[in-house]
Amino acid sequence: MKILFFAAMAVAHQHTAEMKFREMQDDGSIVYEGDDIDTGKAMYTLFLPDTTIEYAYEGEVMQYLKTGSFQYNDFLK
């Protein structure tokens, strides 16, 4: 039963991050900048209150939304 609860919480947390991603796109805090010519991945710029993060992949942005800490990581999907 505990496993089901944690699985449900993980899915809910992912859904929340995706909703936040879309909201931030709508308000202009996350801006699509095109696809990386080497990897084909979409790149974004994040306009945050205290900083701007450029050349971020969607996986990196999602990780930031989940943890509150940004780190470049080419291996995130």
Side-chain angles (χ1 to χ4, degrees), residues 13 19 21-24 28 31 33-34 52 56-57 59 61 70:
H13 191 67
M19 287 176 33
F21 183 88
R22 300 296 174 227
E23 288 172 9
M24 290 178 75
V31 177
E33 299 293 349
T52 298
Y57 295 132
V61 176
F70 183 84

Side-chain angles (χ1 to χ4, degrees), residues 11-48:
V11 169
H13 191 67
Q14 174 67 24
H15 184 67
T16 302
E18 290 173 0
M19 287 176 33
K20 182 69 175 170
F21 183 88
R22 300 296 174 227
E23 288 172 9
M24 290 178 75
Q25 278 188 310
D26 289 344
D27 73 16
S29 298
I30 296 176
V31 177
Y32 173 73
E33 299 293 349
D35 293 340
D36 183 322
I37 57 174
D38 294 325
T39 65
K41 293 181 181 180
M43 294 185 302
Y44 298 90
T45 297
L46 284 76
F47 296 99
L48 305 173

Side-chain angles (χ1 to χ4, degrees), residues 43-76:
M43 294 185 302
Y44 298 90
T45 297
L46 284 76
F47 296 99
L48 305 173
D50 56 342
T51 190
T52 298
I53 300 170
E54 298 179 301
Y55 308 111
Y57 295 132
E58 184 173 346
E60 296 164 335
V61 176
M62 296 298 283
Q63 186 70 22
Y64 167 76
L65 294 175
K66 292 176 191 174
T67 65
S69 176
F70 183 84
Q71 182 176 4
Y72 287 104
N73 182 345
D74 292 346
F75 299 105
L76 291 174

